[in-house]
Amino acid sequence: QVQLQESGPGLVKPSETLSLTCTVSGGSISGYYWSWIRQPPGKGLEWIGYIYYNGNTNYNPSLESRVTISVDTSKNQFSLKLTSVTAADTAVYYCARHDGRAQDYWGQGTLVTVSS
Amino acid sequence: QSALTQPPSASGSPGQSVTISCTGTSSDVGGYNYVSWYQQHPGKAPKVMIYEVSKRPSGVPDRFSGSKSGNTASLTVSGLQAEDEADYYCSSYAGITHVVFGGGTKLTVL
């Protein structure tokens, strides 16, 4: 059974960089797209972007200037960096596997709060 | 404002059927058969219930069904049960934008 686990700081200061890692277990990172999706408190889901196992990326145009997603196949991990954060970036951040049709496996999510 | 439009709420009594709509454009819902639906219980991660408009992953009850007409996709939950009470999100492939979500619909079982 594929499992995903997000890790990283739960508190980030305004204007700094948010960094999260997702560790994949129970399956290989090869052959799939790997997504980051976020959900502000009490609001809906927002797709941030995804990376193919070979390193090709696609980002939400509204976030593209601030987002970098990378993959480390040797560690079965992929990561998110979001620069110049503001309070509007406070959200639960989910990592998920996209099998070409839908997000079929999700992490439990991690709350990241942007505050000084 | 979300890219796909869903009603904020829907409701039905146990045993009844309820349909949730998801309206997009010819650049997303209408242009591709890659509409998926996710169920999210409070404090939990979303779970895929429907993919490619009408296909159910293994383990999803056949009470859940999906369809599409033009730029509008729909999720129907038949034989409503208490455990179906949750938020539901539609999602579509959107070409250059890749993935878009709806704003979500809170389903209440009366």
Side-chain angles (χ1 to χ4, degrees):
Chain A
Q1 178 79 344
V2 175
Q3 293 185 310
L4 293 84
Q5 178 68 57
E6 305 90 351
S7 59
L11 181 64
V12 181
K13 290 182 168 56
S15 80
E16 295 191 343
T17 297
L18 179 159
S19 296
L20 295 174
T21 296
C22 182
T23 301
V24 180
S25 58
S28 174
I29 210 162
S30 297
Y32 295 95
Y33 292 88
W34 301 92
S35 303
W36 286 99
I37 294 155
R38 69 182 183 178
Q39 185 171 35
K43 296 188 178 180
L45 301 170
E46 180 181 31
W47 178 71
I48 298 171
Y50 51 37
I51 188 166
Y52 197 44
Y53 76 101
N54 66 1
N56 289 343
T57 54
N58 294 100
Y59 301 132
N60 185 325
S62 68
L63 297 169
E64 188 165 12
S65 63
R66 299 194 291 129
V67 171
T68 302
I69 298 175
S70 57
V71 65
D72 187 338
T73 54
S74 68
K75 294 182 179 179
N76 245 29
Q77 293 177 334
F78 62 106
S79 299
L80 168 71
K81 290 190 186 301
L82 181 66
T83 62
S84 304
V85 297
T86 69
D89 295 309
T90 293
V92 174
Y93 285 76
Y94 293 101
C95 59
R97 189 181 82 169
H98 195 294
D99 69 352
R101 301 170 297 181
Q103 256 76 225
D104 60 347
Y105 289 97
W106 294 65
Q108 64 186 25
T110 187
L111 175 63
V112 179
T113 301
V114 178
S115 176
S116 54
Chain B
Q1 187 173 358
S2 302
L4 306 179
T5 300
Q6 297 181 235
S9 63
S11 63
S13 298
Q16 289 186 332
S17 294
V18 63
T19 297
I20 299 169
S21 63
C22 170
T23 301
T25 69
S26 58
S27 296
D28 38 64
V29 173
Y32 308 94
N33 287 324
Y34 287 110
V35 176
S36 49
W37 288 90
Y38 300 87
Q39 178 191 64
Q40 186 181 34
H41 287 110
K44 300 295 186 181
K47 172 188 174 183
V48 61
M49 305 301 283
I50 295 287
Y51 66 95
E52 290 181 342
V53 176
S54 61
K55 298 178 181 177
R56 274 188 314 275
S58 174
V60 172
D62 60 6
R63 303 184 293 102
F64 292 85
S65 62
S67 62
K68 190 183 84 166
S69 178
N71 296 336
T72 299
S74 298
L75 172 72
T76 298
V77 186
S78 305
L80 270 175
Q81 299 183 5
E83 68 242 38
D84 300 332
E85 184 162 297
D87 293 327
Y88 290 84
Y89 294 90
C90 62
S91 178
S92 176
Y93 178 71
I96 195 169
T97 314
H98 284 267
V99 177
V100 290
F101 282 100
T105 297
K106 181 176 181 61
L107 175 60
T108 301
V109 180
L110 301 171

